[in-house]
Amino acid sequence: MEYPFREIEKKWQKIWEENRTFYVDIEDERSKFYLLSMFPYPSGVLHMGHVSNYSIADAIARYNIMNGYKVLQPMGYDSFGMPAENYAIQHHSHPEITTHENIDKMRKQFKSCGFGYDWDREVITCDEDYYRWNQWFFLKMFEMGLVYKKSSYVNWCPSCQTVLANEQAEGGICWRCDSKVEQKEIEQWFIKITDYVEELLDHSKLGNWPQRVITMQKNWIGKSFGTEIIFKVADEEIELPVFTTRPDTIFGCTYMVLAAEHPLVEKLIAKNSEKEKVLQFIQEVLNEDKIERTAEDTEKIGVFTGSYAINPVNNEKIPIWIGNYVLMDYGTGAVMCVPAHDQRDFEFAHKYDLPIRIVIQKPDKSLVLEEMKEAYIDEGVLVESAKFNDQKNITAIENISKWMEEKGIGRRTVHYRLRDWGISRQRYWGTPIPIVYCDDCGAVPVPEEELPVRLPKDVAVGKTRKNPLLSVPEFVHTTCPKCGGPAQRETDTMDTFFDSSWYYARFCDAHNNNEPFDSEKANYWLPVDQYIGGIEHACMHLLYARFFHKFMRDIGLVNTDEPFTNLLTQGMVTKDGAKMSKSKGNIVDPEEYIDRYGSDTLRVFMLFASPPEKDVEWNDEGVKGAFRFLNRIWVLVTEKQTFLKSLPNRYDEKAVMPGFAKKLRFSTHSTIKKVTEDINKRMQFNTAIAALMEHLNNVSAFECNEQSEKIVKAVYYEAIAAIPKLLQPFAPHLSEEVWSMLGNQTSILETGWIDYNEKFLIQDEVTYVIQINGKLRSKIVVDIDTPKETVEELALADEKTQKYTKGKTVRKVIVIPKKLVNIVV
RNA sequence: GCGAAAGUGGCGGAACUGGUAGACGCGCUGGACUUAGAAUCCAGUGGCCGAAAGGUUGUAGGGGUUCGAAUCCCCUCUUUCGCACCA
C-alpha cells in the first residue's frame, strides 16, 4: 500500500496558506525567532542542495513554532550576477525575462515542498525596488569616506575585449575563445572594509558559530605584528618601505625583491640597459595565475632591476630585484630578503647566485653556510648583527624594532591580509554604480533624490561580449549633477555580494519605498537568530555581511553589532562522492522525487542521511527507505483508526502496569527526550529520526486490543500520539494528517511541543560490562543503586571472569558507575 | 602552495564527557504470503576460524599516552571547501 501523499501534502499546504500559519507580524505577542537560510540564485530549477538546506531550516522553524515562538522565515532570490547574464545569452533572451521566469518556477517548487515561508516578504535583488537601496547605501558610504577608486588588475581577454572572472580564466585561458588571458590594469571602486578590520576580528559578540568559520575568518583577515623598515634607493631620494615580521634578521638582508606590479618599478629600471628584457619578464609574471605564483613548489624566478637599495642598519648596498613570488596585495609589495632564514629567499638566492649571510645561529653554533640545504627558520642567537650579537632572536625582534624606531628608520606596525572590497564589475546584470563622470567636476555621486539609476532594459544582451551598458547612449550620456554640463555615467555595476550583504535586514520590512527598511522594524527582528548556509561562504559573504551590519549601525539604521547570532553551515549534496554539477552529469532533480514519493519523504531522507554539517550522499534506495518509514506510520494509524480513537488519552501515573507496558512507556518518553535534545541542543536530525524509527518499531511490536487492560491501552495511545508530534519538523504534512486522524481538530502546529516525564526514564536495573585487561569478557545485570564495592565483588565472582582470573593475580579493579568494571590481571 | 575540515562494515551513518564499536536505515542472504512479480512481514548480516559455544581481528596508515583510544598527542596518506570578478 502506498499512502496518498499527493492529496495529503496539497491539503495541508492549502490549510497552512489559508490559516496564514507562517505569516508573522510585530503585533503578535509571541516572542520572535528570526530564522534565515541563505537565499538562492534563481536558476529556475530547485537543486537537491536547496531542498537539503531548506529542509534543515524548516525543521528548526516548525520545532520553534511548536515551542511558542513566532518564527520569521522569509525567502528571496539573489538574482543579479553573471549566471543570469550567461543564461540569457544562451537562451537568446534577456535576463530581465529569464530571471523572472525562473523565479516563478522556483517559487512554485518551494510551495510544493511545503516550506513555511512568509511569502509577503519576498525579496528579489534584481528588482528596482531592491537595488535602488544598494545605490543609496553606496552613496552613504561615499559620504562617510568609505568608498574610493583605485586601479587594480583584472583578467582580460584580448580577443573578447572583456574582463573575465577567475573561474572563466582558469589556467590562464579564456573559457570562450581559448585565448591567453592577460592582466590589465583598470580603475575600480573599492569599499574600505579594512576600516572595520579590528571589529571584524572580534567574534566575541556572536552566539553559536562553528569554530572553524571563526578560525577561517581570522586567518583570512590575517593580522600580523611586524616592523616597517624604510630602505632608500641608492643615489636617489626614493623610499622603499618593506614590511617584515622578522626584523631580527635585518642584518642578514642581502637583496630586495619587488612585486612586478610595484609602482616604483618603472623608475628603478629606467637606467637599465636591458630594460626591454625586464619589461617582458614583468608582463609574463603578471599573466601568471596568482595562486600558482605563490605556491611553494612553483619555481621562484626574478630579474635584476639595475638599481640598488641601502640597508638602513649597516648602509650596505644591496641589489633590487623583481620576483614572481612577491605580491602587491600584501604588505608594501616589497620584501627584504634574508636567504639564510627564509626558504623562498634561500631558493631564490641560490638560483641567482646572490649572497647569503647567517645572522641567526643554532644554540650550539653548528650552522655552516656551505652545508645549508635549506633556510634556518628556527630560534637561535644573533651573530654578525652589530650590537645585537648574542641576543636571542625572540628578544632581538623587540630590541631591533625599538632601536630602528629611535633612529627613524623603521616603526612597529600591524599588517592585515584582508584587502579592501572591490565592487566594480564590468557587466550588465547588476546594480549600476551611482556615479557620473564630468569633464570639469570629475567623479560625482548621483544625488539621492535622483535614485534609482535604472538599469536600462532595452539592451541587446550577448551581441557583444563587452559590457552592454557601454552601447546604450541614453544611459551613458547624462548631465553633471553639480554643474549641469555634459557627463557620462559609470557603466560598472556592483558585485552581487553587495546585494546579499543586507538582504536579511530588508526582510524585516520588504516593501518599504522610502528607505531600505524601517529601523524600528529591523531592530525588532534583528539579529537573525539562526542563519543557515554553506561553509563556502565562511570568508567572503559572511565577512561582507558582518561589515555591512556594522556600517548600518554607524549610520543609525540598526542598533546591534552583529547580523547573525547563530550560524549553521550545512554540507552539500553529493552523488558518487562528488558535488552534483552539470559538468559531471550527476544531477538529481528534486521535482521527480517529489512527484514520486512526496516532499515529506525527500525531507526525511535528506535529514536522515547525515548530520546537517556534513555532506549528504544521494541514494535512490535510501529515499525508498524514508518512504517506507512514513508509509508504516500511515498504515499503522489507518488500520487501527477506530480502535485508536476509542483509547483513553490520559492515564493514572501511579497505576501498576505490566513490564511490557512499562517498556513501551520508557520508549515513548526516552524518544521524546532524544528527539527534543537532538533538535535543540545538537541540531542533529539524523539521530532524532533514527530514534523515531526505533520507537515506531517498538510500537509496531506492541500487542494491544479491545481486551487489553485500561492502563495498557492508555500507554499504547500515548506511544502513538507522540509520533505525529515528533514527526512534525521532519515530515510536516504526514504529521498533520496523522494528528487529525487521531481525532484532533486543529493544526498540530498550534498545539505545543511534547514533554517527557523524567519519572518514566528511571530504570531499576543496569548492565555492567566486565572487561579483563580492557577486553570485553562478560556482563552482569545489577540493581541500579548497588554500591561500587558490591559491583566489584559481583564482577570478580562472575563465572566468566573466573575463567580469566584463575591462577592470576588481580592487580587493579576499576569500576565506572553504571557502566563497566575493568579487571587488570 | 596557503588556510579550514573530514576519513568508522558492501553503502549512508551512530557511538554526545576517554568506557560494550557498528544504533537507525539501505543493500544482501534465507524464510512466509503470492499462479508469478511488486509490495509487505519474520530471521540473519564487519572480517577470519568454528556446527555451535566461543575465539580472534577490526574505526585511512604508522607511532605514542592510558587500566581502557574511533575519541587525546606526533608523523604520513587521501578526499572536500575557500583563496578576493561564481554565488
Side-chain angles (χ1 to χ4, degrees), chain A residues 749-762:
Chain A
L749 282 158
E750 290 167 28
T751 68
W753 187 245
I754 184 168
D755 286 326
Y756 57 92
N757 191 334
E758 282 291 351
K759 269 193 283 184
F760 302 148
L761 297 174
I762 300 163

Side-chain angles (χ1 to χ4, degrees), chain A residues 205-243:
Chain A
K205 288 169 184 159
L206 298 170
N208 186 19
W209 271 44
Q211 189 51 51
R212 68 160 157 158
V213 173
I214 293 173
T215 310
M216 282 161 95
Q217 290 199 349
K218 285 212 151 103
N219 292 334
W220 179 260
I221 293 169
K223 182 178 187 175
S224 62
F225 296 92
T227 308
E228 199 170 280
I229 303 173
I230 298 146
F231 285 68
K232 277 194 175 130
V233 178
D235 312 318
E236 301 263 4
E237 272 310 298
I238 306 173
E239 286 189 348
L240 262 179
V242 301
F243 174 77

